[in-house]
Each structure stands twice: as C-alpha cells, then as structure tokens.
Amino acid sequence: MTEFTTNKKVLQFVEESAAITMPDKIVWIDGSEEQRAALKAEACRTGELIKLNEEKLPDCYLHRTKPNDVARVEDRTFICCKNEADAMPHSIVKWMDPQKAYDLAYGIAKGKMQGKTMYVIPYSMGVVGSPFSKIGIEVTDSIYVVLNMMIMTRVGKMCLDALGEDGYFIKGFHCSCDIDPENRYIMHFPEDNTIISVNSAYGGNVLLGKKCFALRIATNLGKNEGWMAEHMLILGCKRPQDKETKYIAAAFPSACGKTNLAMLIPPEEFRNKGYEITCVGDDIAWIRVGEDGRMWAANPENGFFGVAPGTNESSNFNALAATKKGTIFTNVAHNPADNTVWWEKLTKKAPDFMYDWTGEPWTPAMNADGKHPAANPNSRFTAPAENCPCISPEFNSKEGVPLSAIMFGGRRATTTPLVYQSRDWNHGVFVGSIMSSETTAAATGAVGVLRHDPMAMKPFMGYSVADYFQHWINMGKKAEKAPKIFNVNWFRQDENGNFMWPGFGDNMRVIDWILDRCDDKVEAQETAIGYLPYAKDINISGADIDAATLEKLLVVDKARWSAEADEIEAYYNENFGDKLPKEIRENLATLKANCSK
Ligand code: GTP
Ligand code: SPV
Ligand code: MN
C-alpha cells in the first residue's frame, strides 16, 4: 500500500481510519521540504493560510480558526478506560466507557473526509533514537495540523524506521468534521494508546502529539514504566559562581508564564556578571531517574505553541525573535499595510487599521472598552525551537538534562508568597498538590476564577489524580538525588489590583535564590508553609520594586493559610477521600497544626 512502512499495525490503523472517514486520497508525510512547500502552497490556495510579508516575516503564515474553536475544551475532553475508577476522580476531564466513545466518535466521523485528503503524519515526541523518544501516527484532514505538527514534533520517515516491523506507537485520529462545538470530542484511550479528536481544528485539541499524547497518554505510560510526564518548562541557568549550568523544571498552568520564564533574559546587572538562561522546553517535560540518582528531563517537543498577546521585545525578546521566520500564527490580527501580524501589547500603539482575528475590519477605537481586542486572547504562534536565540545547547541531547530544582506556581492574587521551598520531597509533592490558580483564556470558560490545579496538570492527567500523587511520591523514593521543590507566585496583587512583583526578567532574582538554596549557600526562615527567603537575600538592586513591597511579598499570613488549609481539606475529602496518599494527608495535618500555633 505504501513504500513508507511494512509495519502491519501502522498500515492497519491507516486503513481502518480511511474506512471510517472515506477520504478521496491518502498522503503520507515524509518530512521533506518539497512536500512541505507543496502543502503550504495548497493551503494558501484554499485560504486556509495567508502568506505574510516575505521580507519581514519569511516563510510565515496566518491562520484563522472558526470563532467557536479557539481554545482547549476541557469539559469535552475524556479519558476512556475500562474502569471509571482508574480515571476518576478528575472533575475537569471526564470519563467515558471506551466502546461507547469509539462508537460515538467514529459515528460522527463517518464519511467526513469524502472529497478530502487524509494525511498520515509519522512523528516522534523526543529526539528519535533517545531513551525518551515515543512514536506517534496522526491521521488528519487538515493541512494546518500537518504543518503545525512539522514544527512542533519531529516528523518523517525516520519515525517509521524507528518503529520497525513491530514497535508500538500512539494512534491519533483527527477529523475536522463540521467544527460543530456540540459534537466536539477529545478522547483518550490509554489502554489502547489511542487518541480521537473530532469537530475541532484548534491547537491543543488537534495537534495530538502535544497535550493529548505527551501529557494525557504519557502520564499513563510514565505510571506503568516508571517515569513522569509533566506540564513543565525546562530552563538552564549559568551563573558566574557555578562550575556548570544548572537546570530547573517548572509547572505553571496554561498562560501563567512558562514560555516567558523558559526564555528569560536576566536583568542587566545579572547579565554583566555572566548570568545566562537557556531554554530546553517551554511546555512539557518528560522526566526519568538516571543511574546517578538524579532526575533527568527532556522536552518531547520541537517547537513552541506560545501565547501571542503580551509577547513583545521587552516582555519576551527571545520568543518574539523565534517567530520571525517559519512560523504559523493562529488567530492574531492582520495588518494589511505591510502584510504582517499584530496582537495586543506587541507595540504600545496599535496600527490604525487592521483585520481582527476573525477577519473583520478593526480600528483601535473599537476596543476602547477592552472588549474587542484585535487578536484573540488565546491567539498563538507556532515557532520552530531552533529559531529561539537562547535555545539550549542541550536541546537535542538524548539523555536530557539533570534537574537541580522543580518549581510550581500559579496565578494567586493573595495568600501565596513570592517564593518558598518545601521541607522535603513529599512536602514538595503536597505543595504541588495544593496548587490553585486563576483561570485563563487557554481553555474555554470563565477567566479569572480561582480553581484547584494540582501540579498545573488538572486538565492533562490521564488517570486518577490520587494515583498520580502517589506516583510522584514513588518517584521521589526512586531518586536518591531528587531535585529540591519550590513554589513561586509572580501574580500577587496590591489593594488596587496591580501586580506587586515586576516579574518577567526580574524572576531571575528568585531563581538565583532557588539555586543558592539547592547548594545550601543561603539561609532561610522556617515558616508554617516551608522555607522562605529573608528579604535581604533577594537581590532587588536595579529592580522596579521597593524593599517594603518585597517584605509584603514574603509574608505568610497564618489566618489566610489556615482558611486555605480548611478549604484544601474539603477539596481532598470531596475528590479523593481514602485514595489520598497518607504522605499528603500528613503534610496537610502539619500545615494545619503550624497555622494554629
Ligand atoms: P501555555 O502555552 O498556555 O501553557 O502558557 P505559558 O504558561 O507558557 O504562559 P506564557 O509564558 O505564554 O504567559 C502567559 C501570560 O502571562 C502572558 O500574557 C504574559 O505576559 C504573562 N506573564 C508571564 N510571565 C509573567 C510574569 O512574570 N509576571 C506577570 N505579571 N505576567 C507574566
Ligand atoms: C496550554 O493550554 O497549556 C497550551 C496550549 O500549551 S494548547 O496546546 O492548546 O493546550
Ligand atoms: Mn501549556
């Protein structure tokens, strides 16, 4: 049937998918530049892509999705395993019986590729040939998906070669169908290593290597095989006082600053001393315990699917630089004056006339009330990792990088201090488990609502949350030299709703303290929630913050924490009951006792 592979399971999956969707033809994606160029030309012809200014943005394109299809749909995302208890309690992502799910999804997709082409994308998450690498095959009717996958993953025949005759792979079935939000389903079958996505053509719903595979399916693989799949950036930090680059992985919920932290440019004073941050990954980390007892992390992706609004030369110079060539923009505004793109805060002043993300004429006056931005708040760029000026020299390392620290962090206007360190690994797991964050535009639904989001993984765990906590505890036992665990909060607000911490590049000042703690080079104050810095040990010289504000950011308000602990207890009881690991329960008891002292 094809010269690409003789792997019977791959061929069978492609045949079965075609039997359901009935495409006019099937095209295998070989990863070649010729094929990619032809697909881009085809997408421009149909209007799926708009070619942008070749001088200013070479090889860059704009794509608009349907207005009903602009973000992940958590309430339509399902884990489909035989026993409901293996997926639950989960409260955001839902459970569905596998057979029911297959019938439903294949029923919806029946005949939906008639008159269309079905593309077969062989791809690898992770460097092909590395111990981290896992192969996926995605079938799709969308050229946009193909071109995005070619940026976000490693695509081509070498993936089929790596599979050989009998290797296992993750099946991804995507069919755009009618982009009908009422019949949109994102389904995961961890027992069959299968993903099905119907009626969407947006980002995390359809680039199946990303959240669906590298997190929801991979958490299951990791649980069974003894590793971890996490919603984490990975950065390298070189400091003048250290012999080697140190690595940190950090879990923040969607649109809470991973891409920004991963590509951080240190403040001038630090740069002059020789501080440097390099980016290994901005969204997903796969973590294994090495023979040396350390945890080693690798980024399974090959590009960045980053939030556009807010990205500019001063907030994230490196991300912006990464979007200057070979990039696909989704749902940003189009500036016809020079055929480029724009989004909120790209420049201080918006161009006088543009087409907004839906393609309608737009002027700045139309957004006087802030309710009609030119770019969708969840508009994105898909940029090749190799474009990023600060990409880590270890980006393609087969072993990954050894972690010194893990950070958790969310958007918390109150309560959570700028930074604190957990007392030990299990306490760190507790700290991750109690994360809450205000919701963002990255998923459909209300924005700014505080919700529990353990380890920033609530929408991405492929199995029961309590078992996932247990897996974290087990991994800590396995790693003799496990990283130290910290919690950060860049988003504390004052009485007037202004952010108190300058954030962005200035987050270097917190990382500096974290790495000093990892080396036992700085004292800390023991508090009810863990170790906090003494204000004098956070270097704020040259930063736009005064000493009094920093002091406020480092206060542990016991009354607030006591209320928080009660709320956490209710949340645990309601969701996990007896399944909650005892180590987590013990740490909750300690927090409660500390707050009442
Ligand atoms: P996903 O790609 O959805 O997983 O998002 P992300 O976690 O990579 O978030 P990203 O870095 O794209 O940042 C999202 C938003 O948070 C942007 O609007 C940023 O401007 C803002 N942001 C990032 N870092 C900081 C910070 O340190 N302080 C403040 N106040 N805002 C920040
Ligand atoms: C996120 O929402 O965390 C993202 C974007 O990284 S998406 O791929 O759509 O999930
Ligand atoms: Mn993300």
Side-chain angles (χ1 to χ4, degrees):
M1 173 175 156
T2 169
E3 75 274 24
F4 285 97
T5 182
T6 50
N7 183 307
K8 291 204 182 60
K9 288 184 194 138
V10 173
L11 295 173
Q12 192 188 346
F13 170 56
V14 172
E15 268 166 39
E16 286 172 2
S17 302
I20 294 161
T21 57
M22 300 182 219
D24 279 11
K25 62 176 184 182
I26 299 175
V27 169
W28 290 70
I29 301 300
D30 59 12
S32 70
E33 265 318 306
E34 295 82 340
Q35 192 184 41
R36 194 204 293 241
L39 288 170
K40 285 176 194 163
E42 164 77 2
C44 288
R45 200 179 55 73
T46 62
E48 208 175 334
L49 294 182
I50 297 170
K51 168 102 180 89
L52 298 168
N53 184 319
E54 182 61 26
E55 273 80 53
K56 292 190 175 171
L57 294 168
D59 196 25
C60 290
Y61 298 83
L62 168 64
H63 172 78
R64 298 189 182 112
T65 65
K66 286 247 174 84
N68 74 33
D69 189 29
V70 298
R72 285 182 291 99
V73 281
E74 298 182 346
D75 57 339
R76 309 198 66 89
T77 299
F78 292 83
I79 305 297
C80 311
C81 50
K82 284 193 200 84
N83 294 322
E84 183 172 358
D86 292 339
M88 293 293 116
H90 213 304
S91 72
I92 283 278
V93 170
K94 298 178 175 156
W95 174 84
M96 197 186 290
D97 171 73
Q99 199 50 53
K100 189 177 154 206
Y102 282 122
D103 291 347
L104 178 63
Y106 290 151
I108 290 170
K110 188 146 188 54
K112 289 292 185 192
M113 290 193 197
Q114 282 174 43
K116 292 176 141 192
T117 300
M118 183 173 88
Y119 301 96
V120 182
I121 314 168
Y123 66 97
S124 172
M125 299 313 289
V127 178
V128 179
S130 84
F132 286 95
S133 161
K134 301 265 178 211
I135 305 293
I137 309 283
E138 176 166 355
V139 297
T140 177
D141 54 1
S142 157
I143 296 182
Y144 168 77
V145 168
V146 174
L147 293 173
N148 273 274
M149 287 292 284
M150 289 182 88
I151 298 173
M152 293 306 296
T153 74
R154 293 161 174 95
V155 167
K157 187 166 181 311
M158 74 287 186
C159 302
L160 292 168
D161 296 342
L163 268 187
E165 287 290 317
D166 212 28
Y168 88 89
F169 60 96
I170 309 302
K171 297 173 194 165
F173 175 100
H174 168 243
C175 187
S176 307
C177 303
D178 310 304
I179 318 289
D180 169 8
E182 302 301 320
N183 279 301
R184 184 169 296 153
Y185 292 96
I186 318 298
M187 295 161 160
H188 308 72
F189 304 79
E191 288 144 355
D192 304 338
N193 285 331
T194 297
I195 303 155
I196 298 180
S197 165
V198 289
N199 273 310
S200 173
Y202 178 81
N205 295 333
V206 297
L207 308 179
L208 300 184
K210 197 173 177 57
K211 296 299 169 36
C212 299
F213 174 171
L215 289 177
R216 298 195 191 96
I217 294 289
T219 47
N220 280 279
L221 299 174
K223 177 182 64 155
N224 298 334
E225 298 170 5
W227 52 280
M228 301 159 92
E230 300 298 330
H231 192 201
M232 290 178 175
L233 67 95
I234 310 166
L235 63 80
C237 180
K238 207 165 93 190
R239 304 192 302 165
Q241 63 267 48
D242 297 334
K243 278 202 266 355
E244 291 174 334
T245 299
K246 296 218 164 93
Y247 295 92
I248 300 178
F252 308 157
S254 301
C256 290
K258 286 183 300 301
T259 302
N260 275 273
L261 193 72
M263 301 179 190
L264 171 159
I265 295 181
E268 195 178 349
E269 193 178 312
F270 285 74
R271 282 203 307 278
N272 291 342
K273 286 189 208 151
Y275 280 71
E276 194 194 347
I277 298 284
T278 45
C279 172
V280 182
D282 82 323
D283 199 50
I284 298 175
W286 285 0
I287 303 174
R288 292 168 177 276
V289 178
E291 277 168 19
D292 60 359
R294 292 191 288 179
M295 286 190 178
W296 290 72
N299 170 15
E301 301 190 283
N302 201 25
F304 308 116
F305 187 62
V307 179
T311 306
N312 59 48
E313 290 230 342
S314 52
S315 70
N316 194 343
F317 175 90
N318 287 315
L320 191 63
T323 67
K324 293 297 180 191
K325 59 179 184 201
T327 294
I328 299 172
F329 297 92
T330 303
N331 293 340
V332 300
H334 189 207
N335 183 355
D338 61 353
N339 191 23
T340 57
V341 287
W342 193 85
W343 50 77
E344 272 57 37
K345 296 202 187 142
L346 172 60
T347 50
K348 282 212 178 76
K349 201 172 152 291
D352 294 333
F353 175 83
M354 286 188 295
Y355 294 101
D356 72 7
W357 65 273
T358 67
E360 292 298 318
W362 184 95
T363 60
M366 290 166 68
N367 191 32
D369 60 358
K371 289 192 180 133
H372 187 167
N376 185 281
N378 193 36
S379 54
R380 301 257 168 179
F381 52 80
T382 317
E386 64 183 22
N387 282 2
C388 179
C390 69
I391 197 73
S392 165
E394 299 299 320
F395 179 75
N396 285 313
S397 152
K398 291 195 170 163
E399 292 73 41
V401 294
L403 295 178
S404 297
I406 285 175
M407 289 158 64
F408 294 117
R411 278 178 193 263
R412 291 298 304 267
T414 66
T415 316
T416 310
L418 177 63
V419 57
Y420 66 102
Q421 181 186 359
S422 69
R423 289 182 293 272
D424 53 39
W425 179 267
N426 286 347
H427 179 228
V429 178
F430 168 76
V431 168
S433 83
I434 65 171
M435 266 175 75
S436 296
S437 190
E438 289 137 26
T439 51
T440 66
T444 53
V447 167
V449 181
L450 190 65
R451 76 168 186 194
H452 287 280
D453 190 351
M455 281 82 169
M457 280 290 280
K458 183 159 195 153
F460 309 121
M461 286 182 208
Y463 61 94
S464 146
V465 182
D467 292 343
Y468 168 88
F469 292 159
Q470 186 63 54
H471 186 55
W472 264 81
I473 290 165
N474 297 348
M475 288 294 293
K477 288 197 188 112
K478 227 167 101 171
E480 261 162 56
K481 295 179 198 145
K484 303 274 188 289
I485 300 180
F486 298 80
N487 194 90
V488 297
N489 180 16
W490 314 140
F491 299 95
R492 271 284 280 270
Q493 291 176 17
D494 63 18
E495 308 73 36
N496 304 318
N498 299 313
F499 291 123
M500 295 162 74
W501 175 249
F504 301 97
D506 288 307
N507 294 332
M508 182 69 241
R509 302 166 191 279
V510 174
I511 291 179
D512 203 25
W513 182 81
I514 286 177
L515 290 178
D516 278 345
R517 285 296 294 169
C518 292
D519 285 347
D520 284 328
K521 282 199 182 125
V522 63
E523 298 285 312
Q525 35 180 338
E526 199 165 350
T527 75
I529 61 172
Y531 300 114
L532 258 78
Y534 291 104
K536 68 173 175 44
D537 292 324
I538 302 281
N539 176 357
I540 53 167
S541 118
D544 189 14
I545 181 175
D546 55 37
T549 308
L550 178 62
E551 289 281 0
K552 278 193 206 154
L553 284 170
L554 296 175
V555 167
V556 176
D557 181 333
K558 277 198 197 175
R560 274 186 186 276
W561 272 98
S562 178
E564 180 107 353
D566 289 342
E567 200 279 324
I568 290 162
E569 186 165 41
Y571 162 74
Y572 280 167
N573 288 343
E574 184 189 335
N575 286 283
F576 314 124
D578 294 347
K579 284 193 85 183
L580 190 75
K582 72 171 191 325
E583 292 85 346
I584 304 274
R585 181 84 57 198
E586 283 162 10
N587 272 291
L588 175 62
T590 307
L591 175 63
K592 289 183 77 170
N594 287 351
C595 289
S596 62
K597 262 184 218 157

